[in-house]
Amino acid sequence: MTAPEQLWDVLFLLAPAKRPAPPSTLYDVIVDSEGAPEDLKLVREYVEGGHDLSRQFGGGHSVVLAVSKGSPEFVRYFVENADNLESVNGILDRAVQRLSEASDEELDTATAVFEYLLQQPFAKAEFAAAFTACAMRSQYTAAKALLAAGLEDSEIRVGANRFVSVSKQLESLAKAEYAALLRNETVDQEQLLNEEREERHTNAELKAMLDGVEAFSGQHILEGKAFDERYRALLDAVDAGQWRAELASRDSRFGQSVIEFAAANGFIELAQRLLEIAVLSGAEAESANFTAAVAAATHGNLAVLELLKVHGVPVEDTPKGCNTPLSEACRYGHLDIVRYLVSLGADTGSGDGSGMEFTLADITGGPRRKDILAVLSG
């Protein structure tokens, strides 16, 4: 093992090899949630902080995402607070998907969410699509609930100028038993219930397997007293003149410099020593230190950013075409850092210094979005 690799092994005992960015948008919050009360509290904070509950994200509408995640209380908050639900497609389809993937322990919650949605007037227009989803996913019980809620064998659009009845469409999809069910004809209920159970069991097993997959990092990160002792030992070693050449190295996996790693993780004592030692020089030092400023702003480490400024790093600069400390502080919702950088004269008119690519308002996230926008507007 080389000397730089030995240093990085020490660093990776103190913090993750690559710290994930904090949630920025409401989409991030929903996707990372489990629909628990604390998740709903965070959603409320983001909405109260200026995020639009009715926004259509690249991964889907927030209400549709919530249906795949939460308890009835979690879903109810989205339904009651989102605007123009009539224009949202896929809500009931997602609820049917959730039913088809539910384990025995999850089935009551998934059923309660589905039944709650059936009571909403916006769901009526989606009944035909949801019934088709039931047929394709073998969800006989949900299909019966749709019929009880008022679904009729009406015509649906299947092309630019072509309409067919829902039952005809189901027959074309080789789902004759569900077409018969829709026409109130006799069906083999026991067979359909068995198919539902088998489908749900198979999907639940697959979902559990995928949910259980974690990215292997091979890391063991120290905590508490063990962390304090190892971190102090590293600082003492640096003070004693060790690791000088290695402190100029970069992590071979992610290309980050030691000072960027320190800035991202809030290791202000280590960052201070790196700046005082000046392990890098010239353009290489300027690039590494500015990247460290971006990392500090991304992860909300104001003290590190202030330290970099004291050591001459132009943290308020907005180089053209680059992510900047201000753009990342806006993106991840760090109000204190936005205020600090604006007080230094950072350009609030552009996210990357070009004045053309995007505005900071476009990317501002986090639970303090409204407050950040107020700071940016002066």
Side-chain angles (χ1 to χ4, degrees):
M1 180 181 293
T2 66
E5 289 173 339
Q6 292 175 354
L7 172 62
W8 282 101
D9 276 355
V10 172
L11 293 174
F12 291 154
L13 285 172
L14 304 175
K18 189 71 171 179
R19 182 172 294 280
S24 173
T25 66
L26 186 59
Y27 174 82
D28 300 320
V29 174
I30 301 170
V31 168
D32 291 341
S33 77
E34 296 180 357
E38 57 269 25
D39 296 318
L40 182 54
K41 180 182 178 182
L42 185 58
V43 167
R44 290 178 184 273
E45 290 178 3
Y46 270 63
V47 173
E48 292 167 2
H51 291 263
D52 182 6
L53 200 67
S54 296
R55 181 179 172 188
Q56 178 75 29
F57 298 103
H61 194 284
S62 61
V63 180
V64 179
L65 294 171
V67 167
S68 67
K69 286 288 186 177
S71 63
E73 294 74 21
F74 190 81
V75 174
R76 184 178 296 115
Y77 174 80
F78 283 82
V79 169
E80 292 179 351
N81 291 279
D83 296 328
N84 193 27
L85 281 170
E86 292 81 0
S87 66
V88 181
N89 297 316
I91 297 177
L92 279 174
D93 293 39
R94 185 63 64 88
V96 170
Q97 177 182 346
R98 184 173 177 183
L99 281 169
S100 75
E101 296 174 349
S103 64
D104 291 340
E105 295 77 16
E106 299 166 336
L107 185 57
D108 286 347
T109 299
T111 300
V113 168
F114 183 72
E115 291 176 345
Y116 167 72
L117 292 173
L118 289 184
Q119 301 168 16
Q120 307 310 310
F122 74 86
K124 298 294 185 181
E126 291 212 330
F127 277 13
F131 193 87
T132 302
C134 288
M136 303 308 294
R137 293 181 175 274
S138 301
Q139 296 304 297
Y140 171 70
T141 304
K144 290 281 286 184
L146 284 164
L147 290 171
L151 172 65
E152 297 177 353
D153 191 12
S154 56
E155 288 195 334
I156 57 173
R157 182 190 295 272
V158 293
N161 295 298
R162 182 167 172 259
F163 294 81
V164 299
S165 66
V166 180
S167 60
K168 289 292 185 184
Q169 177 69 359
L170 289 170
E171 287 176 344
S172 72
L173 296 171
K175 292 295 178 179
E177 64 275 24
Y178 281 87
L181 180 65
L182 186 54
R183 291 193 293 257
N184 199 28
E185 298 172 358
T186 301
V187 297
D188 187 340
Q189 296 187 48
E190 190 60 35
Q191 177 185 340
L192 293 176
L193 283 170
N194 285 334
E195 290 176 357
E196 176 183 309
R197 285 189 286 267
E198 290 175 4
E199 179 81 5
R200 189 159 49 80
H201 180 71
T202 300
N203 289 342
E205 283 188 334
L206 177 60
K207 181 175 179 291
M209 182 182 69
L210 294 175
D211 289 344
V213 173
E214 296 181 2
F216 176 74
S217 66
Q219 277 194 261
H220 171 67
I221 300 174
L222 300 176
E223 298 178 348
K225 182 179 179 181
F227 169 89
D228 293 338
E229 290 176 349
R230 182 58 62 97
Y231 185 41
R232 174 49 53 189
L234 173 63
L235 296 177
D236 289 345
V238 172
D239 290 340
Q242 301 176 32
W243 300 117
R244 290 303 169 89
E246 292 76 17
L247 291 171
S249 67
R250 288 183 174 274
D251 166 34
S252 60
R253 281 179 282 183
F254 300 104
Q256 61 187 334
S257 64
V258 178
I259 193 167
E260 180 185 354
F261 179 86
N265 291 287
F267 296 161
I268 189 167
E269 300 93 342
L270 178 58
Q272 183 169 359
R273 284 162 172 76
L274 293 168
L275 290 165
E276 291 171 349
I277 294 171
V279 295
L280 299 172
S281 60
E284 190 176 12
E286 291 179 8
S287 176
N289 291 342
F290 190 77
T291 301
V294 173
T298 295
H299 298 283
N301 296 321
L302 177 59
V304 176
L305 206 61
E306 292 173 330
L307 174 69
L308 290 165
K309 179 62 178 175
V310 167
H311 283 266
V313 180
V315 298
E316 72 278 14
D317 277 7
T318 54
K320 185 174 181 179
C322 296
N323 291 338
T324 68
L326 182 57
S327 73
E328 300 316 281
C330 288
R331 190 187 310 276
Y332 297 107
H334 302 305
L335 178 61
D336 55 346
I337 293 180
V338 173
R339 283 176 173 155
Y340 171 66
L341 294 170
V342 171
S343 74
L344 295 178
D347 179 13
T348 61
S350 172
D352 65 355
S354 70
M356 296 170 57
E357 297 298 326
F358 55 82
T359 68
L360 292 170
D362 292 332
I363 64 171
T364 294
R368 304 294 299 275
R369 175 176 162 79
K370 285 192 296 190
D371 296 330
I372 291 174
L373 294 178
V375 172
L376 295 176
S377 65

